[in-house]
Amino acid sequence: MKNYWMAVSAAAMFVCFSCNTGNGKGATTGQTEEKTVIKAPDFNADSAYQYVKAQVDFGPRVPNTAEHVACGNYLAKKLEEYGAKVTNQYADLTAYDGKILKARNIIGAYKPDLKKRVALFAHWDTRPWADKDKDEANHHTPILGANDGASGVGVLLEIARQINLQEPTIGIDIIFFDAEDGGTPDFYEGRHEETSWCLGSQYWSRIPHVQGYNARFGILLDMVGGKGATFYREAASMKYAKSIVNKVWKKAKEIGYETYFINENGGGVTDDHVFVNQIARIPTIDIVPMDEDYSFFPHWHTTGDTMDVIDKSTLKAVGQTVMEVIYNEK
Ligand code: AHN
Ligand code: ZN
């Protein structure tokens, strides 16, 4: 990492010197465009890991449960502690079976008055059923969602802590969506609709926390803590926000994380970013694991999605990459 930083400094200095020769007014000759690469602060993976664990320690975060309420309060408190302007968006949302979910999207805004913004998303609820568990007896058991839920939020809480220490130039919104993971369970015999997933993001995309809200782009983190995770260029992200995929994957390679961020196209995922793209029309990408052997990660939607699947190196690769991107937006 040290070598990388030095290489970047040298490159940045070279560009600056070359611009300042001549009339002293900088790049007026139109030859080279000045591109200074800023090194973001160091994302602390131990800290992110603790935020993942703190959520898992509440138990499953299923809407309409006490554990869900307690974890929501914890998340809002952390964002406030880290200097964000916090908005709680409460909504009654309807699940696939008609049940009303008492949902809460939690938004932390930095520099809320700035127009230049980037939105960072993750879902904080967990799936009410381990319907992919190999043991059928577990199919109605709620999951702990260490990776599927807590990991993305954990990374974003660490980013919030870092922003509070050193703010990037642009405004940042950290948005925790609720009711993402209550999509129609496998055991349900009736119709399965895509819109049964991502209820919190659908709601926010229709009714954002700030009227007329907009952002330059968005980045969704979903299941970003698994050991050995690989992130391919997800298809819906490519359709709606290809330049942002390019930006993020390029940055990941620059800082040495190309073994996580594979520069190849992958499949499409019905995830929160699809609704943010289609309804809110904010170009948004999804950093979500994919593999040839198993869809997302081996313990997806099983009782095995515990702290044991979380790897700090993956949290670091994703967290640092996202930070390098946002600290370089002007
Ligand atoms: C579907 O399985 C349709 N979408 C995946 C979205 C998801 C579930 N992300 C985490 N859990
Ligand atoms: Zn899930």
Side-chain angles (χ1 to χ4, degrees):
M1 254 337 92
K2 276 264 156 52
N3 286 340
Y4 142 71
W5 170 212
M6 304 234 300
V8 168
S9 312
M13 266 164 25
F14 178 78
V15 175
C16 293
F17 286 141
S18 62
C19 296
N20 286 333
T21 51
N23 60 15
K25 282 188 177 166
T28 50
T29 52
Q31 304 152 334
T32 26
E33 211 184 285
E34 192 171 350
K35 264 213 178 110
T36 318
V37 179
I38 295 164
K39 175 74 184 81
D42 263 331
F43 179 92
N44 186 324
D46 296 316
S47 171
Y49 183 91
Q50 290 309 316
Y51 299 139
V52 177
K53 184 173 183 301
Q55 294 168 77
V56 172
D57 284 345
F58 284 101
R61 283 84 67 208
V62 173
N64 301 352
T65 67
E67 294 81 1
H68 178 265
V69 171
C71 185
N73 291 340
Y74 162 77
L75 297 176
K77 205 178 114 224
K78 292 308 279 184
L79 287 175
E80 234 149 58
E81 183 186 329
Y82 296 143
K85 181 187 178 194
V86 175
T87 307
N88 291 289
Q89 191 177 48
Y90 294 96
D92 287 355
L93 304 175
T94 309
Y96 79 96
D97 58 354
K99 204 163 102 183
I100 298 297
L101 306 178
K102 294 283 179 190
R104 175 184 187 180
N105 292 328
I106 304 165
I107 300 105
Y110 291 94
K111 301 188 178 178
D113 299 328
L114 266 194
K115 270 186 115 67
K116 296 177 184 172
R117 322 195 56 74
V118 169
L120 306 175
F121 306 105
H123 78 88
W124 72 274
D125 63 305
T126 53
R127 188 152 178 78
W129 324 280
D131 55 346
K132 296 277 189 221
D133 208 283
K134 60 183 186 309
D135 184 352
E136 216 189 303
N138 290 334
H139 283 187
H140 291 262
T141 305
I143 70 165
L144 274 172
N147 199 16
D148 190 356
S151 68
V153 171
V155 166
L156 294 185
L157 279 182
E158 169 58 9
I159 292 179
R161 190 179 74 86
Q162 295 288 347
I163 293 175
N164 193 37
L165 297 172
Q166 184 192 325
E167 286 203 310
T169 310
I170 51 158
I172 300 287
D173 299 292
I174 291 180
I175 302 184
F176 298 146
F177 288 134
D178 200 355
E180 185 272 350
D181 227 346
T184 314
D186 287 355
F187 52 74
Y188 182 69
E189 313 251 308
R191 268 179 69 89
H192 284 229
E193 317 239 27
E194 302 259 275
T195 49
S196 64
W197 301 88
C198 309
L199 300 180
S201 57
Q202 291 185 59
Y203 181 85
W204 178 86
S205 297
R206 290 198 176 86
I207 308 165
H209 63 294
V210 170
Q211 218 190 358
Y213 176 83
N214 206 354
R216 215 177 253 184
F217 61 86
I219 301 176
L220 170 65
L221 306 183
D222 194 9
M223 306 181 264
V224 292
K227 192 171 167 57
T230 46
F231 305 105
Y232 288 80
R233 297 154 66 104
E234 186 271 334
S237 310
M238 288 299 280
K239 176 177 174 184
Y240 294 107
K242 188 176 171 191
S243 69
I244 310 306
V245 176
N246 289 344
K247 189 198 284 270
V248 172
W249 263 251
K250 180 169 172 270
K251 187 56 85 178
K253 186 178 161 65
E254 264 172 41
I255 63 172
Y257 293 128
E258 68 265 43
T259 57
Y260 293 92
F261 289 79
I262 312 295
N263 203 14
E264 289 169 35
N265 293 337
V269 181
T270 304
D271 210 341
D272 290 317
H273 69 309
V274 169
F275 300 97
V276 174
N277 276 300
Q278 292 180 347
I279 302 170
R281 301 202 170 275
I282 297 167
T284 298
I285 68 160
D286 193 6
I287 300 178
V288 61
M290 306 181 179
D291 206 289
E292 282 101 63
D293 301 37
Y294 37 81
S295 52
F296 295 122
F297 69 106
H299 297 286
W300 184 57
H301 292 179
T302 74
T303 54
D305 186 0
T306 65
M307 286 310 288
D308 294 344
V309 312
I310 301 297
D311 185 357
K312 288 178 186 175
S313 310
T314 308
L315 298 173
K316 172 72 178 175
V318 173
Q320 194 66 49
T321 299
V322 171
M323 284 196 26
E324 300 294 345
V325 168
I326 63 174
Y327 280 82
N328 275 288
E329 286 294 313
K330 283 170 265 294

